[in-house]
């Protein structure tokens, strides 16, 4: 049986990520880049490859585990207590030696380090290393080297596993050994990735690498101090967002994983290892509030370059981490899927959808950064904002796929129309930055027409609420985005009725909100939107209570997935999910701004 999604800890070097289970198994690692092929994929198939390092007694009745991150880092320390004694294992994706803060991921060596420290007694340990590169398509040869390391090589991948103080032995397709760790003893392992026809895998001192990586992470937090409410929660979420940032470009990946299911056994299993423009304004706001202004500006620069020259075609909703548009989706039938949930997908065909909300996210982000960007935008910024605004003015009446990216027919989704209004409204306000080509009067007229259309067509008298699409009576939690984006005040009578209807009809236990009826999971972003709406409507105490309930669904490391099962409380969907942590940060800041205690 596969571990619960909430069992996994998250490691990052701002280029790639790894997931480590409570029992000490690295079950997911894509060493080249967040969205590159995995070398460990037991997360998605029991035979998909892993690297386990844990006490021999792990899983027995006398085995207890306590995990925590080193303060303000993604360096994970797991303490195992067994009948024979206790031992700590510290895991990290190493930064380049000497790198600090924004340098951390620029030249990451692609090395996973694990340091074992004896705390008491004498603890029998096991190490099992079974790599399966290219999403488990390849079984590499394992060769013992003269220096005591093991080389695993196949296709384009070389992996070198070393233990400083223990000679490793290959056993067919794996390393499987036992050893003991005594009180005061320290043993370091490092696993280095290299391209078969490129530079050889790096060699690091694991103990020194852990210390250096901790210092690099802590330098991030020194760049920006969050002073609002719920500081510990916000600082943890800011660190997770930094860990999901691809340092070389500044893009923020939506999640570290692919194909973790929204419903166990279902087929809504998508690849989230890309950067979405649809989430852009929310992401930028969260980075500005809780991470670092430099990260916000680098993200914006990435978007400008990725979008390029704007024509008649709609802007893709997502890009690769270096701005790639072609992220075609395919399936991996070799992988059985998490808990049998198939298909496993690589790539995401949502990039081809028309999503009319995208320009509104970008123009709104430009408005958020207006003072930082200066009185006059540079040529690329100017062309982007003007091009997106004119595209909205010409196409806002067209149907699209909407914020939840359904793969059925296009519709007139409420949230998309509202974001079209946002694009024009913010463009009008940015007029002084846009020069003589800004057609502010015409934009304002179209903006007002969109608003009138939304107010007329978006409210359903039968349900007494704003619904998901024009002409529909189906409630959709995306209606909560209207006050968040400034389209309507939260205390507007129709908006108050909508908030109440969403809470009544889509609400579940633990403060969770579903996106629509019959969805089994509470969607964490929507739940945090409800917190923001209540705070803006003046219900500050209830908003704070709801916030505390929702954040209580985080795992023991403070990590949030996309959704929470309403019956079992289990995490669902890809993890850690950027949108969930973005929602937490923005809701905490809204509670701070609202003045609630």
């Amino acid at each position: 049986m596969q571990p619960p999604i909430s069992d996994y800890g998250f490691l990052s070097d701002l280029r790639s990520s790894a997931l480590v289970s409570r029992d000490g198994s690295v079950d997911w690692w894509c060493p080249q880049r967040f969205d590159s092929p995995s070398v460990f994929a037991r997360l998605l198939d029991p035979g998909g490859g892993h690297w386990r390092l844990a006490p021999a007694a792990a899983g027995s009745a006398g085995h207890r585990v306590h995990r925590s991150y080193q303060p303000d880092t993604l360096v994970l320390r797991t303490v195992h207590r067994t009948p024979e004694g206790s031992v700590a294992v510290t895991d990290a994706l190493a930064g380049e030696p000497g790198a600090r803060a924004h340098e951390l991921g620029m030249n990451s060596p692609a090395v996973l380090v694990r340091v074992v420290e004896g705390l008491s007694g004498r603890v029998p340990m096991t190490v099992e290393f079974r790599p399966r590169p290219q999403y488990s398509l390849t079984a590499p040869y394992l060769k013992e080297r003269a220096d005591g390391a093991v080389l695993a090589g196949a296709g384009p991948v070389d992996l070198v596993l070393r233990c400083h103080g223990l000679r490793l032995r290959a056993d067919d397709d794996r390393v499987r050994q036992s050893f003991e760790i005594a009180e005061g003893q320290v043993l370091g392992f490092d696993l280095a990735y290299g391209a078969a026809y490129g530079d050889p895998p790096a060699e690091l001192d694991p103990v020194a690498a852990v210390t250096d990586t901790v210092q690099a992470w802590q330098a991030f937090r020194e760049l920006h101090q969050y002073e609002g409410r719920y500081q510990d929660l916000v600082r943890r979420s800011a660190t997770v967002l930094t860990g999901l940032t691809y340092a070389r470009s500044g893009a923020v990946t939506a999640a570290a994983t692919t194909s973790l299911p929204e419903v166990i056994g279902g087929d809504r299993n998508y690849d989230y290892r890309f950067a979405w423009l649809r989430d852009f304004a929310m992401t930028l706001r969260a980075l500005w509030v809780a991470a670092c202004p430099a990260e916000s500006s680098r993200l914006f620069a990435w978007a400008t370059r990725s979008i390029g020259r704007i024509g008649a075609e709609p802007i893709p909703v997502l890009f690769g981490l270096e701005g790639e548009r072609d992220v075609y989706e395919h399936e991996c039938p070799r992988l059985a899927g998490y808990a049998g949930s198939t298909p496993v997908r690589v790539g995401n065909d949502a990039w081809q959808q028309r999503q009319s909300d995208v320009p509104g996210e970008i123009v709104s982000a430009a408005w958020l950064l207006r003072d930082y960007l200066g009185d006059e935008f540079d040529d690329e910024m100017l062309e982007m904002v003007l091009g997106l605004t004119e595209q909205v003015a010409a196409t806002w009446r067209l149907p699209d796929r909407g914020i939840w990216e359904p793969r059925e027919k296009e519709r007139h989704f409420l949230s998309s129309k509202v974001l079209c209004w946002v694009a024009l409204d913010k463009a009008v306000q940015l007029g002084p930055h846009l020069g003589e080509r800004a057609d502010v009067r015409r934009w304002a007229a179209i903006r007002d027409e969109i608003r009138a259309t939304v107010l007329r067509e978006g409210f359903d008298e039968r349900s007494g609420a704003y619904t998901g699409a024009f002409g529909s009576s189906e409630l959709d939690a995306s209606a909560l985005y209207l006050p968040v984006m400034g389209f309507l005040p939260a205390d507007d009578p129709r908006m108050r009725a909508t908030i109440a209807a969403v809470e009544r009809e889509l609400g579940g236990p633990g403060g969770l909100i579903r996106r629509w009826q019959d969805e089994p999971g509470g969607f964490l972003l929507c739940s945090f939107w409800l917190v923001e709406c209540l705070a803006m409507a003046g219900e500050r105490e209830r908003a704070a209570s709801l916030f505390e309930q929702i954040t209580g669904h985080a795992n023991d490391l403070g990590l949030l997935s996309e959704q929470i099962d309403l019956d079992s409380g289990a995490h669902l969907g890809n993890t850690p999910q950027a949108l969930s942590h973005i929602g937490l940060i923005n809701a905490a800041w809204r509670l701070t701004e609202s003045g609630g205690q």
Side-chain angles (χ1 to χ4, degrees):
M1 182 176 179
Q2 288 174 275
I5 293 171
S6 60
D7 258 21
Y8 286 97
F10 170 53
L11 310 179
S12 171
D13 58 8
L14 278 70
R15 185 178 81 173
S16 67
S17 63
L19 296 188
V20 188
S21 69
R22 284 180 63 86
D23 72 351
S25 183
V26 180
D27 288 347
W28 182 252
W29 187 30
C30 303
Q32 290 173 281
R33 212 171 83 162
F34 289 105
D35 56 350
S36 67
S38 64
V39 297
F40 302 132
R42 187 156 75 166
L43 180 71
L44 298 174
D45 187 291
H50 66 283
W51 177 21
R52 186 168 180 269
L53 179 60
S60 68
H63 177 231
R64 290 173 293 152
V65 175
H66 177 266
R67 305 185 296 178
S68 62
Y69 284 117
Q70 302 284 51
D72 291 328
T73 79
L74 291 178
V75 175
L76 178 62
R77 179 178 170 86
T78 303
V79 176
H80 299 268
R81 303 192 185 282
T82 76
E84 297 85 4
S86 58
V87 63
V89 178
T90 301
D91 297 324
L93 281 172
E96 182 185 14
R100 294 293 179 267
H102 294 291
E103 301 171 347
L104 176 62
M106 294 299 185
N107 296 291
S108 297
V111 179
L112 177 56
V113 294
R114 313 190 76 180
V115 175
V116 186
E117 177 187 359
L119 302 179
S120 67
R122 192 172 185 89
V123 181
M125 301 286 293
T126 59
V127 57
E128 183 173 80
F129 169 68
R130 186 175 182 269
R132 287 293 181 269
Q134 300 185 81
Y135 301 114
S136 195
L137 286 171
T138 307
Y141 293 104
L142 268 61
K143 298 178 181 179
E144 297 175 10
R145 300 197 329 185
D147 62 357
V150 169
L151 168 66
V157 174
D158 277 342
L159 293 167
V160 176
L161 177 65
R162 304 178 186 87
C163 178
H164 298 243
L166 178 69
R167 187 175 187 86
L168 298 172
R169 299 294 186 185
D171 179 11
D172 191 23
D173 67 342
R174 70 191 70 194
V175 170
R176 181 164 44 193
Q177 284 181 237
S178 299
F179 63 96
E180 288 189 335
I181 192 85
E183 181 177 349
Q185 186 180 3
V186 176
L187 207 60
F189 291 79
D190 65 287
L191 175 63
Y193 161 84
Y197 303 104
D199 294 333
E203 294 190 29
L204 296 178
D205 177 339
V207 175
V210 165
T211 299
D212 199 54
T213 303
V214 166
Q215 293 174 357
W217 274 103
Q218 291 176 343
F220 264 111
R221 295 282 68 81
E222 293 173 5
L223 295 175
H224 190 84
Q225 299 295 321
Y226 171 75
E227 302 296 342
R229 297 186 67 182
Y230 303 105
Q231 290 189 16
D232 289 347
L233 294 174
V234 170
R235 287 172 72 90
R236 169 53 48 205
S237 287
T239 300
V240 172
L241 279 188
T242 298
L244 290 170
T245 299
Y246 181 67
R248 295 182 181 182
S249 67
V252 177
T253 185
T257 57
T258 179
S259 300
L260 290 181
E262 297 178 15
V263 179
I264 299 297
D267 63 357
R268 289 183 59 85
N269 320 316
Y270 300 116
D271 194 345
Y272 277 14
R273 298 171 299 158
F274 307 103
W276 263 254
L277 294 184
R278 182 203 57 226
D279 314 330
F280 200 74
M282 288 182 284
T283 305
L284 201 78
R285 180 171 174 242
L287 288 175
W288 188 269
V289 165
C292 175
E295 291 181 60
S296 302
S297 60
R298 293 191 69 237
L299 176 61
F300 205 101
W302 166 83
T304 303
R305 181 180 177 86
S306 299
I307 290 170
R309 189 176 295 278
I310 296 169
E313 294 298 314
I315 302 301
V317 66
L318 64 97
F319 289 90
L321 302 177
E322 294 182 0
E324 303 91 341
R325 291 191 178 216
D326 182 353
V327 292
Y328 280 103
E329 183 178 300
H330 66 274
E331 296 180 4
C332 298
R334 185 179 181 89
L335 295 172
Y338 178 85
S341 305
T342 57
V344 170
R345 295 182 171 99
V346 172
N348 196 311
D349 277 346
W351 76 273
Q352 300 181 82
Q353 294 183 353
R354 175 188 296 278
Q355 294 193 23
S356 302
D357 54 343
V358 170
E361 290 284 344
I362 302 298
V363 178
S364 177
W367 182 82
L368 286 171
L369 285 179
R370 62 196 181 281
D371 294 334
Y372 190 75
L373 295 170
D375 293 336
E376 294 184 7
F377 292 172
D378 63 30
D379 290 344
E380 287 187 359
M381 176 72 68
L382 180 64
E383 291 299 326
M384 182 180 71
V385 174
L386 289 172
L388 290 174
T389 305
E390 289 296 348
Q391 188 175 91
V392 170
T395 64
W396 72 269
R397 292 182 178 85
L398 296 176
D400 76 329
R401 293 294 176 86
I403 192 171
W404 307 132
E405 299 172 359
R407 300 197 170 190
E408 302 91 34
K409 67 178 183 178
E410 295 181 340
R411 301 173 68 187
H412 292 281
F413 286 100
L414 179 75
S415 59
S416 297
K417 303 304 183 189
V418 168
L419 264 296
C420 288
W421 174 88
V422 168
L424 290 162
D425 183 62
K426 300 309 181 190
V428 168
Q429 296 180 56
L430 286 171
H433 297 264
L434 301 177
E436 60 185 21
R437 293 166 58 195
D439 196 347
V440 172
R441 182 173 296 180
R442 180 170 61 87
W443 294 345
I446 299 171
R447 174 199 63 189
D448 294 344
E449 183 182 359
I450 296 172
R451 180 180 177 83
T453 303
V454 170
L455 294 176
R456 182 179 65 252
E457 304 291 340
F459 190 84
D460 179 69
E461 297 292 347
R462 292 165 294 179
S463 57
Y466 289 101
T467 54
F470 289 0
S472 172
S473 61
E474 296 177 5
L475 285 173
D476 190 303
S478 62
L480 298 175
Y481 208 29
L482 273 64
V484 173
M485 292 304 295
F487 182 83
L488 277 175
D491 58 0
D492 172 89
R494 282 187 163 189
M495 197 63 236
R496 287 298 295 261
T498 300
I499 294 168
V502 167
E503 193 170 10
R504 181 179 64 251
E505 301 296 331
L506 301 182
L512 298 169
I513 298 293
R514 294 169 292 167
R515 287 177 292 179
W516 51 72
Q517 290 281 7
D518 302 323
E519 187 174 43
F523 202 81
L524 286 162
L525 175 65
C526 297
S527 305
F528 286 121
W529 280 349
L530 178 59
V531 171
E532 291 200 61
C533 287
L534 292 175
M536 288 187 286
E539 297 186 53
R540 299 182 185 91
E541 290 185 8
R542 195 157 74 89
S545 176
L546 185 65
F547 178 87
E548 290 163 13
Q549 289 184 66
I550 299 166
T551 55
H553 293 286
N555 75 357
D556 57 320
L557 297 172
L559 302 178
L560 293 166
S561 63
E562 183 180 42
Q563 301 185 46
I564 304 295
D565 186 275
L566 295 177
D567 293 326
S568 67
H571 286 211
L572 295 171
N574 287 303
T575 193
Q577 176 72 216
L579 272 182
S580 299
H581 289 278
I582 287 164
L584 184 154
I585 292 168
N586 289 338
W589 185 243
R590 188 77 71 179
L591 287 166
T592 300
E593 289 183 314
S594 73
Q597 299 299 316

